[in-house]
Amino acid sequence: MPATRRTPSKRPSAPRASARVPAHASSSSTKRSPQKRKSSKSTPKPRAVTPTKPHFEFGGPIGALGITVVLPLVCYFLVHACNEDGCVEVGRLAREGAKALPGFPSHMPLASARGTVYALGWMAFTVMMHVLIPGAVKEGVTLPDGTRLRYKLNGFRVFVVTMAVVVFGTRANVVDLASVHDEFLSMLTAMVVFAYVLSTYLYASSFGRGKMLAAGGDSGNAVYDFFIGRELNPRIMNGAFDLKVFCELTPGLIGWLLLDLGFAAKQYARIGTVTAPMVLVCVFQGAYVIDALWNEPAILTTMDITTDGFGFMLAFGDLVWVPFTYSLQCRYILEHSVRISNAHVLAILVVQCVGYWIFRGSNSQKNLFRTNPNDPRVSHLKTLQTKRGTKLIVSGWWGICRHVNYLGDWIMAWAWCLPCGFSHLAPYFYVIYFGILLVHRDGRDGEACEKKYGADWTRYCQLVKYRLIPFVY
């Protein structure tokens, strides 16, 4: 089941939003119908468009209901099954069932006033920063009704301001990052409730006049549409605040990094130092977050923004799943005093560098070709001309496999888990889950491209044979 906003959104529904999309050299933004541009001072108001009803995904209404209920339980289970009181063994769990689970730590309340204030205060802070801090205004792809929305992008600036507040607040003894460890479960509870409330609002507001509905979100089944998202681009403040693009990166990704730093601060408070495994994970994941925010415009061509509606799937993924499950490695290292050798550190660094090289190199090549195919850095690439008038890259990074960026992302996922050592399987939840997610996303992308390109997609698959892993899959 369900970024990458990692990405940018590694949510349960899709990889993160930092340009994790198929290797299509051209998106809908490269083939535009002649149209008058809207004034840059106002946001175009889309006309009501009701798309053709698609087939169900994720197992239809029953699957959507199951995911909507189970995903929050998984977040709690990861704490219940692995914490300072112990970490369950797979074999013992199979033999003894629930008796093998250590249970929730006594110092972590499921709900508290402080944890609720932390979580909702963080959301209020990021909303305020998004509104107040200037940002670049970029046009998205051409929508089904022929319009192109404009998006305010200032995620990186919000990140810089947040880090400054944390640094000065810590020095002034106003900000206590270490306290997020004890309030982890209560913050999780607050954000789970917030995600359900937001999803309910999104579903209800999608029935307003003039709403543009997502191609897969108007099935007529309330449970499924609540999950998948009815409205394509829900906005508030007279269209100036795009809820989906804001949630895609800013609160979840920066919040994830703050949790990591909180666990590092707790470790320092306990033992007077921050260990090598903790440093590795914080640096790797911090670099990933910064990369996503720096390349924020790339999300405007991802499936999350161009195709999927904004419902529970993305709202929960952005605001809960990403920060509270992706920070598992740092929490595990804090709670289990992990130590690794210098050789282990070196090997992990190599894995991370290889993964990032593939991930960033492939995404940069794709995005550059989309924006300026005549650039000398990409003009040499071989392409397949389609009947739609667009081109698909069949050489360079994208000649290796159809989702070579996914491959790089998954390799980095290993680098984030390996610092946890090999005593327990729990901290490897992320790399296992993410591998399943990428295979599922590859299937969704392939199905969408087959409909979009027809016979040309068959030709493309013959030229680029492998999906995710060269010579394997």
Side-chain angles (χ1 to χ4, degrees):
M1 148 58 201
T4 301
R5 318 175 2 152
R6 290 169 354 142
T7 104
S9 80
K10 291 179 178 179
R11 288 164 305 285
S13 59
R16 83 180 182 94
S18 67
R20 295 182 190 170
V21 293
H24 308 157
S26 300
S27 70
S28 55
S29 63
T30 60
K31 185 181 180 182
R32 304 166 189 159
S33 301
Q35 56 183 297
K36 293 182 180 180
R37 289 208 172 188
K38 303 286 183 180
S39 169
S40 61
K41 297 182 180 180
S42 62
T43 302
K45 295 183 179 180
R47 300 186 301 274
V49 174
T50 302
T52 303
K53 294 180 181 179
H55 68 280
F56 288 124
E57 297 185 89
F58 300 103
I62 295 177
L65 177 61
I67 294 170
T68 302
V69 173
V70 169
L71 279 187
L73 298 180
V74 172
C75 295
Y76 287 106
F77 176 79
L78 291 175
V79 182
H80 194 272
C82 191
N83 54 63
E84 287 180 312
D85 295 335
C87 204
V88 66
E89 299 289 346
V90 177
R92 187 182 170 199
L93 181 64
R95 293 191 307 270
E96 302 179 17
K99 293 181 180 180
L101 300 175
F104 293 124
S106 58
H107 64 84
M108 280 190 185
L110 282 172
S112 73
R114 186 164 73 161
T116 301
V117 169
Y118 282 2
L120 300 186
W122 168 244
M123 286 302 303
F125 174 80
T126 53
V127 168
M128 182 174 65
M129 291 299 97
H130 180 73
V131 172
L132 296 179
I133 297 175
V137 178
K138 301 288 185 180
E139 282 190 335
V141 302
T142 304
L143 299 175
D145 68 347
T147 62
R148 297 180 68 194
L149 296 177
R150 299 172 70 81
Y151 299 87
K152 179 181 179 180
L153 305 176
N154 63 355
F156 184 78
R157 295 180 182 184
V158 174
F159 164 76
V160 172
V161 171
T162 300
M163 291 300 105
V165 170
V166 169
V167 170
F168 288 111
T170 300
R171 290 185 175 182
N173 293 320
V174 176
V175 175
D176 180 17
L177 272 182
S179 64
V180 304
H181 180 244
D182 290 343
E183 298 299 333
F184 184 80
L185 276 176
S186 58
M187 290 190 296
L188 170 61
T189 298
M191 289 310 300
V192 167
V193 173
F194 183 85
Y196 278 115
V197 171
L198 174 61
S199 301
T200 301
Y201 164 78
L202 292 170
Y203 179 75
S205 65
S206 69
F207 290 93
R209 295 185 60 184
K211 301 290 187 178
M212 179 177 293
L213 305 184
D218 189 27
S219 70
N221 183 282
V223 172
Y224 182 81
D225 293 344
F226 173 87
F227 166 76
I228 206 74
R230 290 189 84 244
E231 189 176 355
L232 184 61
N233 301 103
R235 293 187 162 204
I236 56 176
M237 297 174 58
N238 293 322
F241 194 112
D242 189 286
L243 291 170
K244 183 165 64 170
V245 166
F246 166 72
C247 290
E248 188 79 3
L249 295 182
T250 304
L253 286 187
I254 302 176
W256 165 24
L257 182 56
L258 289 179
L259 285 174
D260 281 354
L261 295 176
F263 296 141
K266 186 72 170 183
Q267 185 181 64
Y268 183 81
R270 284 182 174 178
I271 63 176
T273 188
V274 179
T275 61
M278 182 71 80
V279 171
L280 286 175
V281 178
C282 285
V283 169
F284 293 163
Q285 295 186 347
Y288 191 89
V289 169
I290 293 171
D291 177 87
L293 295 169
W294 181 258
N295 294 286
E296 189 177 15
I299 70 171
L300 299 183
T301 57
T302 63
M303 177 181 283
D304 289 356
I305 304 302
T306 65
T307 307
D308 291 332
F310 192 36
F312 179 84
M313 179 180 76
L314 290 182
F316 183 88
D318 291 336
L319 303 177
V320 183
W321 187 263
V322 167
F324 288 95
T325 66
Y326 291 7
S327 58
L328 170 60
Q329 290 78 36
C330 282
R331 181 171 65 81
Y332 177 87
I333 291 169
L334 164 66
E335 295 173 344
H336 293 83
S337 302
V338 178
R339 294 289 189 274
I340 57 177
S341 67
N342 291 335
H344 194 166
V345 171
L346 181 60
I348 293 169
L349 288 171
V350 171
V351 173
Q352 169 68 18
C353 289
V354 170
Y356 185 78
W357 174 54
I358 296 173
F359 173 75
R360 179 44 51 204
S362 57
N363 274 326
S364 296
Q365 186 178 78
K366 176 198 63 185
N367 291 328
L368 182 59
F369 190 89
R370 280 180 168 177
T371 56
N372 183 14
N374 296 318
D375 189 291
R377 289 170 290 179
V378 293
S379 59
H380 65 283
L381 295 174
K382 297 179 181 179
T383 60
L384 171 66
Q385 182 70 48
T386 70
K387 294 177 182 178
R388 292 174 56 89
T390 56
K391 297 178 180 180
L392 303 176
I393 306 175
V394 295
S395 69
W397 282 111
W398 299 98
I400 297 174
C401 58
R402 297 173 215 167
H403 290 103
V404 65
N405 54 342
Y406 290 7
L407 173 62
D409 217 347
W410 194 55
I411 292 173
M412 283 193 290
W414 279 100
W416 299 357
C417 296
L418 288 171
C420 297
F422 305 102
S423 297
H424 296 100
L425 182 63
Y428 288 84
F429 167 82
Y430 173 71
V431 74
I432 296 170
Y433 146 78
F434 194 44
I436 297 171
L437 168 66
L438 293 180
V439 171
H440 176 265
R441 183 58 179 266
D442 167 73
R444 288 189 74 201
D445 289 343
E447 188 174 300
C449 290
E450 186 175 5
K451 292 180 180 179
K452 182 177 181 180
Y453 296 106
D456 290 327
W457 184 250
T458 301
R459 291 171 55 208
Y460 169 77
C461 293
Q462 291 172 345
L463 293 172
V464 184
K465 298 180 180 180
Y466 299 102
R467 293 170 175 262
L468 288 171
I469 304 177
F471 308 108
V472 176
Y473 174 73

